[in-house]
Amino acid sequence: MVFDAETVEHLSQQRPAAPWGRRTSRFRMIVILAILLPAVVVTLLFFYSTIPGPIIMIAIYLPLQLIAAGLAATAVRGKKAAGDAVIIVCSIGATIFSLVVLVSVLWSLVSKGLPAISPQFIFFSNEYISPSTPLEYGGIGHAIVGTFLIVATGARSRTFASLCKQ
């Protein structure tokens, strides 16, 4: 790409933007308070109340964090920023909730499935196996062979299709 002399002069006079450098100490203090106050309240409730943890997190922490983020955004940027703050808190909350569910499922899978892994499980088939059969019987041999056959057939048909195009 070729620029004319005027565009080159204009581009050479630009300064790099540093939006992170524009934060004032007031802004930093408001954000720190908006983060710490709900966290301190919830921490005290965890240790000094009989309310279950999930209820504290959903019924107390999330609304407190939404209120604190909305107030902080209003104090720093105005009324329009409060909506952005609420969306950010909800997005982070949904992400954390999804990660907790994912980790819980993976932990259950590994902790309950690890005792069943053995050479017999890898190489034997599930023929004559019922739901009440102990974990020491049966296996995934048939699934491994089936997967291999499907992949081999797909690879062969793709190779055949590419040969037909030539």
Side-chain angles (χ1 to χ4, degrees), residues 11-43:
L11 291 175
S12 65
Q13 292 176 358
Q14 289 183 344
R15 301 271 184 232
W20 54 87
R22 296 185 208 146
R23 307 287 188 225
T24 64
S25 59
R26 178 179 176 266
F27 174 84
R28 288 187 181 101
M29 285 306 298
I30 290 174
V31 169
I32 289 170
L33 285 174
I35 293 170
L36 288 181
L37 285 178
V40 168
V41 169
V42 167
T43 303

Short mmCIF file of all heavy atoms in Angstrom, two decimals, residues 11-43:
data_model
loop_
_atom_site.label_atom_id
_atom_site.label_comp_id
_atom_site.label_asym_id
_atom_site.label_seq_id
_atom_site.Cartn_x
_atom_site.Cartn_y
_atom_site.Cartn_z
N LEU A 11 0.26 10.45 9.67
CA LEU A 11 0.47 9.22 10.43
C LEU A 11 1.71 9.30 11.33
O LEU A 11 1.72 8.74 12.43
CB LEU A 11 0.59 8.02 9.48
CG LEU A 11 -0.69 7.62 8.74
CD1 LEU A 11 -0.39 6.51 7.75
CD2 LEU A 11 -1.77 7.19 9.73
N SER A 12 2.74 9.99 10.89
CA SER A 12 3.96 10.07 11.69
C SER A 12 3.77 10.97 12.91
O SER A 12 4.51 10.86 13.88
CB SER A 12 5.12 10.56 10.84
OG SER A 12 4.88 11.89 10.41
N GLN A 13 2.79 11.85 12.89
CA GLN A 13 2.56 12.75 14.02
C GLN A 13 1.63 12.15 15.07
O GLN A 13 1.46 12.72 16.13
CB GLN A 13 1.98 14.08 13.52
CG GLN A 13 2.95 14.89 12.70
CD GLN A 13 2.31 16.15 12.16
OE1 GLN A 13 1.14 16.41 12.35
NE2 GLN A 13 3.11 16.94 11.45
N GLN A 14 1.03 11.00 14.80
CA GLN A 14 0.10 10.40 15.76
C GLN A 14 0.87 9.81 16.94
O GLN A 14 1.97 9.28 16.79
CB GLN A 14 -0.72 9.30 15.09
CG GLN A 14 -1.75 9.85 14.13
CD GLN A 14 -2.59 8.72 13.54
OE1 GLN A 14 -2.24 7.56 13.62
NE2 GLN A 14 -3.71 9.10 12.96
N ARG A 15 0.25 9.89 18.09
CA ARG A 15 0.81 9.30 19.30
C ARG A 15 0.04 8.01 19.60
O ARG A 15 -1.17 7.93 19.38
CB ARG A 15 0.65 10.25 20.48
CG ARG A 15 1.31 11.58 20.27
CD ARG A 15 2.74 11.49 20.76
NE ARG A 15 3.38 12.81 20.65
CZ ARG A 15 4.51 13.00 20.06
NH1 ARG A 15 5.15 11.99 19.50
NH2 ARG A 15 5.03 14.19 19.99
N PRO A 16 0.73 7.00 20.13
CA PRO A 16 0.01 5.76 20.47
C PRO A 16 -0.98 6.01 21.61
O PRO A 16 -0.68 6.76 22.54
CB PRO A 16 1.12 4.79 20.90
CG PRO A 16 2.31 5.64 21.16
CD PRO A 16 2.15 6.90 20.38
N ALA A 17 -2.13 5.40 21.50
CA ALA A 17 -3.16 5.56 22.53
C ALA A 17 -2.81 4.70 23.74
O ALA A 17 -2.29 3.60 23.60
CB ALA A 17 -4.52 5.15 21.98
N ALA A 18 -3.09 5.22 24.91
CA ALA A 18 -2.85 4.48 26.15
C ALA A 18 -4.06 4.67 27.07
O ALA A 18 -3.99 5.41 28.05
CB ALA A 18 -1.57 4.96 26.83
N PRO A 19 -5.19 4.01 26.76
CA PRO A 19 -6.40 4.23 27.56
C PRO A 19 -6.24 3.77 29.00
O PRO A 19 -6.89 4.29 29.89
CB PRO A 19 -7.46 3.41 26.82
CG PRO A 19 -6.71 2.43 26.01
CD PRO A 19 -5.39 3.05 25.69
N TRP A 20 -5.38 2.81 29.26
CA TRP A 20 -5.17 2.34 30.62
C TRP A 20 -4.43 3.37 31.47
O TRP A 20 -4.47 3.33 32.67
CB TRP A 20 -4.39 1.03 30.61
CG TRP A 20 -3.11 1.14 29.85
CD1 TRP A 20 -1.92 1.54 30.32
CD2 TRP A 20 -2.93 0.90 28.46
NE1 TRP A 20 -0.99 1.57 29.31
CE2 TRP A 20 -1.58 1.17 28.15
CE3 TRP A 20 -3.76 0.48 27.43
CZ2 TRP A 20 -1.06 1.04 26.88
CZ3 TRP A 20 -3.22 0.33 26.16
CH2 TRP A 20 -1.89 0.62 25.91
N GLY A 21 -3.77 4.31 30.85
CA GLY A 21 -3.03 5.33 31.58
C GLY A 21 -3.90 6.50 32.03
O GLY A 21 -3.45 7.34 32.78
N ARG A 22 -5.14 6.56 31.60
CA ARG A 22 -6.02 7.68 31.91
C ARG A 22 -6.82 7.48 33.20
O ARG A 22 -7.65 8.29 33.53
CB ARG A 22 -6.99 7.91 30.77
CG ARG A 22 -6.31 8.32 29.49
CD ARG A 22 -7.33 8.63 28.44
NE ARG A 22 -6.74 8.37 27.13
CZ ARG A 22 -7.38 7.92 26.09
NH1 ARG A 22 -8.66 7.67 26.17
NH2 ARG A 22 -6.76 7.71 24.95
N ARG A 23 -6.61 6.42 33.90
CA ARG A 23 -7.37 6.14 35.12
C ARG A 23 -6.90 7.03 36.26
O ARG A 23 -5.71 7.11 36.55
CB ARG A 23 -7.21 4.68 35.53
CG ARG A 23 -7.53 3.68 34.44
CD ARG A 23 -9.02 3.62 34.20
NE ARG A 23 -9.30 2.53 33.29
CZ ARG A 23 -10.12 2.62 32.28
NH1 ARG A 23 -10.73 3.75 32.04
NH2 ARG A 23 -10.35 1.60 31.51
N THR A 24 -7.85 7.66 36.92
CA THR A 24 -7.52 8.51 38.06
C THR A 24 -7.53 7.68 39.34
O THR A 24 -8.04 6.55 39.36
CB THR A 24 -8.55 9.64 38.20
OG1 THR A 24 -9.82 9.07 38.48
CG2 THR A 24 -8.60 10.48 36.93
N SER A 25 -6.99 8.24 40.40
CA SER A 25 -6.99 7.52 41.67
C SER A 25 -8.41 7.38 42.21
O SER A 25 -8.74 6.39 42.86
CB SER A 25 -6.08 8.21 42.68
OG SER A 25 -6.53 9.54 42.89
N ARG A 26 -9.28 8.35 41.94
CA ARG A 26 -10.69 8.25 42.34
C ARG A 26 -11.35 7.06 41.66
O ARG A 26 -12.07 6.29 42.29
CB ARG A 26 -11.42 9.55 41.98
CG ARG A 26 -12.89 9.53 42.30
CD ARG A 26 -13.55 10.88 41.92
NE ARG A 26 -14.97 10.83 42.13
CZ ARG A 26 -15.85 10.52 41.20
NH1 ARG A 26 -15.45 10.24 39.97
NH2 ARG A 26 -17.14 10.51 41.47
N PHE A 27 -11.09 6.91 40.37
CA PHE A 27 -11.64 5.78 39.63
C PHE A 27 -11.17 4.46 40.24
O PHE A 27 -11.96 3.55 40.47
CB PHE A 27 -11.21 5.87 38.16
CG PHE A 27 -11.59 4.67 37.34
CD1 PHE A 27 -12.86 4.56 36.80
CD2 PHE A 27 -10.68 3.64 37.13
CE1 PHE A 27 -13.22 3.45 36.06
CE2 PHE A 27 -11.02 2.53 36.38
CZ PHE A 27 -12.30 2.43 35.84
N ARG A 28 -9.87 4.35 40.51
CA ARG A 28 -9.32 3.12 41.08
C ARG A 28 -9.94 2.80 42.44
O ARG A 28 -10.26 1.65 42.72
CB ARG A 28 -7.81 3.22 41.17
CG ARG A 28 -7.12 3.15 39.83
CD ARG A 28 -5.60 3.07 39.98
NE ARG A 28 -4.98 3.01 38.67
CZ ARG A 28 -4.41 4.04 38.07
NH1 ARG A 28 -4.36 5.22 38.65
NH2 ARG A 28 -3.87 3.90 36.87
N MET A 29 -10.12 3.81 43.27
CA MET A 29 -10.70 3.59 44.60
C MET A 29 -12.15 3.13 44.51
O MET A 29 -12.57 2.23 45.23
CB MET A 29 -10.61 4.88 45.45
CG MET A 29 -9.22 5.18 45.95
SD MET A 29 -8.48 3.81 46.87
CE MET A 29 -9.61 3.67 48.23
N ILE A 30 -12.91 3.72 43.61
CA ILE A 30 -14.31 3.32 43.45
C ILE A 30 -14.40 1.88 42.95
O ILE A 30 -15.21 1.10 43.45
CB ILE A 30 -15.04 4.30 42.50
CG1 ILE A 30 -15.22 5.64 43.20
CG2 ILE A 30 -16.38 3.74 42.06
CD1 ILE A 30 -15.80 6.73 42.33
N VAL A 31 -13.56 1.51 42.01
CA VAL A 31 -13.57 0.14 41.49
C VAL A 31 -13.14 -0.84 42.58
O VAL A 31 -13.76 -1.91 42.75
CB VAL A 31 -12.67 0.02 40.25
CG1 VAL A 31 -12.46 -1.43 39.86
CG2 VAL A 31 -13.27 0.79 39.09
N ILE A 32 -12.13 -0.52 43.35
CA ILE A 32 -11.68 -1.40 44.43
C ILE A 32 -12.78 -1.58 45.47
O ILE A 32 -13.04 -2.70 45.92
CB ILE A 32 -10.38 -0.85 45.06
CG1 ILE A 32 -9.22 -1.03 44.09
CG2 ILE A 32 -10.08 -1.53 46.38
CD1 ILE A 32 -7.95 -0.32 44.49
N LEU A 33 -13.47 -0.50 45.83
CA LEU A 33 -14.57 -0.60 46.78
C LEU A 33 -15.72 -1.44 46.21
O LEU A 33 -16.33 -2.23 46.93
CB LEU A 33 -15.08 0.78 47.17
CG LEU A 33 -14.20 1.57 48.13
CD1 LEU A 33 -14.75 2.98 48.31
CD2 LEU A 33 -14.10 0.86 49.46
N ALA A 34 -16.02 -1.27 44.93
CA ALA A 34 -17.10 -2.03 44.30
C ALA A 34 -16.78 -3.52 44.25
O ALA A 34 -17.69 -4.35 44.26
CB ALA A 34 -17.36 -1.51 42.89
N ILE A 35 -15.51 -3.86 44.23
CA ILE A 35 -15.12 -5.27 44.23
C ILE A 35 -15.04 -5.82 45.65
O ILE A 35 -15.53 -6.92 45.93
CB ILE A 35 -13.77 -5.45 43.51
CG1 ILE A 35 -13.92 -5.14 42.03
CG2 ILE A 35 -13.23 -6.86 43.70
CD1 ILE A 35 -12.61 -5.04 41.29
N LEU A 36 -14.45 -5.05 46.55
CA LEU A 36 -14.17 -5.56 47.90
C LEU A 36 -15.39 -5.60 48.82
O LEU A 36 -15.51 -6.55 49.61
CB LEU A 36 -13.06 -4.75 48.55
CG LEU A 36 -11.65 -4.99 47.99
CD1 LEU A 36 -10.65 -4.14 48.74
CD2 LEU A 36 -11.28 -6.45 48.08
N LEU A 37 -16.25 -4.60 48.77
CA LEU A 37 -17.38 -4.57 49.70
C LEU A 37 -18.29 -5.80 49.58
O LEU A 37 -18.57 -6.45 50.59
CB LEU A 37 -18.18 -3.28 49.54
CG LEU A 37 -17.50 -2.04 50.13
CD1 LEU A 37 -18.34 -0.80 49.87
CD2 LEU A 37 -17.25 -2.21 51.61
N PRO A 38 -18.76 -6.18 48.39
CA PRO A 38 -19.56 -7.40 48.32
C PRO A 38 -18.77 -8.65 48.72
O PRO A 38 -19.31 -9.55 49.37
CB PRO A 38 -19.97 -7.48 46.84
CG PRO A 38 -19.87 -6.10 46.34
CD PRO A 38 -18.75 -5.47 47.11
N ALA A 39 -17.48 -8.68 48.39
CA ALA A 39 -16.66 -9.85 48.74
C ALA A 39 -16.50 -9.97 50.26
O ALA A 39 -16.57 -11.07 50.81
CB ALA A 39 -15.30 -9.76 48.07
N VAL A 40 -16.32 -8.84 50.95
CA VAL A 40 -16.18 -8.87 52.41
C VAL A 40 -17.48 -9.30 53.06
O VAL A 40 -17.49 -10.13 53.98
CB VAL A 40 -15.72 -7.48 52.92
CG1 VAL A 40 -15.83 -7.39 54.43
CG2 VAL A 40 -14.29 -7.22 52.49
N VAL A 41 -18.60 -8.77 52.58
CA VAL A 41 -19.91 -9.15 53.14
C VAL A 41 -20.15 -10.65 52.97
O VAL A 41 -20.57 -11.35 53.91
CB VAL A 41 -21.04 -8.33 52.48
CG1 VAL A 41 -22.40 -8.87 52.85
CG2 VAL A 41 -20.92 -6.87 52.87
N VAL A 42 -19.88 -11.17 51.79
CA VAL A 42 -20.10 -12.59 51.52
C VAL A 42 -19.14 -13.45 52.33
O VAL A 42 -19.52 -14.50 52.85
CB VAL A 42 -19.99 -12.86 50.00
CG1 VAL A 42 -19.90 -14.34 49.71
CG2 VAL A 42 -21.18 -12.26 49.30
N THR A 43 -17.90 -13.03 52.48
CA THR A 43 -16.94 -13.78 53.28
C THR A 43 -17.39 -13.86 54.73
O THR A 43 -17.33 -14.94 55.35
CB THR A 43 -15.54 -13.13 53.20
OG1 THR A 43 -15.16 -13.07 51.82
CG2 THR A 43 -14.51 -13.93 53.98
#
